[in-house]
Amino acid sequence: MRASKQAWNKIPGSSHLEKGNKIHISGAEGICEDADISKMGRILIDRALSHSRGTPDKIIVTIEKISERPVSALLLPLRTFECSSPEDAWSFIATQLSRLGVSSRALRSSLRVLKSNKTMRGAALISALSGRRMEPDRMRGVRVSRLGIDTESEKKLARRLSRLHINNLTVKEALILASKVASCNDIVAEVCFSDDPDYTTGYLASRSSGYLRTTNVKHQGEMHGGRVFFVNEKSDTEKIIAWLEKKPVIAVFSNE
Ligand code: WAQ
Ligand code: MG
């Protein structure tokens, strides 16, 4: 599902309006059984209609049959780091990312995406070394899709998150997405700030660090946010994008 809203700008010196940017309101994706398609459609439409970024004037729901058998990806272990301010949070994230081999150029490049008020629908692909943007459509970014969690793992995850008082859809969906992304060999790390004005916890994730939630990555009420995937310099970008967008992946606690 994706929901957006057309912005209108005042033409200076006149009472007329002209079309501005299309504002991304919300998006969501998942995998479900045939029997649950209508239910899932309703849930997604309701979500689009009640979002803190605003009321959309366009909602697109795409439903596709998946013929390929999903592969599994291990759910990343989760930890939360309490940070006192956006500066404190960024300093923590930057330190972790440099340990993972992300250059300072790439860090600067990622901050431009994460702090931009022109939020993208998808994620930016940034070379971990040169900081170069690798995705063909820089306005849209790359949208990770075809991802889910198996029923047993979902129950176990709900129990674990409940104990931490964070058993909500935002955390669950972000953890599943990060687990799919981290299972891609050519992705070094991910960093995410929500673009929701009332959600100030972000995260960084990678296979070796796990999913590290970071509080106060932005101030309450701020509309910026985004996602960045740092990729190996010599990787095949087209292949990575096809895998992120099209490969069905189910997150699991263990491969047994
Ligand atoms: N694929 C790629 N990028 C995406 C996707 C996706 N499926 N969904 C969202 N994005 C990008 C897009 O640029 C959004 O503007 C940005 O991420 C933020 O999306 O542990 O809510 O849905 O407490 O606002 C993270 C912290 C919450 C969770 C993430 O992201 C926690 C969140 P949002
Ligand atoms: Mg959002």
Side-chain angles (χ1 to χ4, degrees), residues 51 53 194-196:
H51 200 277
R53 285 178 62 77
S194 173
D195 55 5
D196 304 4

Coordinates of all heavy atoms in Angstrom, one line a residue, residues 51 53 194-196, ligand 2:
H51 N -3.2 8.3 9.4 CA -1.8 8.4 9.6 C -1.4 9.7 10.2 O -2.0 10.7 9.8 CB -1.0 8.1 8.3 CG 0.4 7.7 8.5 ND1 1.4 8.7 8.7 CD2 1.0 6.5 8.6 CE1 2.5 8.1 8.9 NE2 2.3 6.7 8.9
R53 N 1.1 11.6 9.5 CA 1.6 12.5 8.5 C 0.5 13.3 7.8 O 0.8 14.2 7.0 CB 2.5 11.8 7.5 CG 3.9 11.4 8.2 CD 4.7 10.7 7.2 NE 5.1 11.4 6.0 CZ 6.0 12.4 5.9 NH1 6.7 12.7 7.0 NH2 6.3 13.0 4.8
S194 N 12.3 7.3 11.4 CA 10.9 7.3 11.0 C 10.6 8.7 10.5 O 11.1 9.7 11.0 CB 9.9 7.0 12.1 OG 8.6 7.2 11.7
D195 N 9.7 8.8 9.5 CA 9.3 10.2 9.0 C 8.0 10.6 9.7 O 7.4 11.6 9.4 CB 9.1 10.2 7.5 CG 8.2 9.1 7.0 OD1 7.6 8.4 7.8 OD2 8.0 9.0 5.8
D196 N 7.5 9.8 10.7 CA 6.3 10.2 11.4 C 6.7 11.2 12.5 O 7.7 11.0 13.2 CB 5.7 8.9 12.1 CG 5.4 7.8 11.2 OD1 5.8 7.9 10.0 OD2 4.9 6.7 11.6
Ligands
MG2 MG 6.3 6.7 8.3

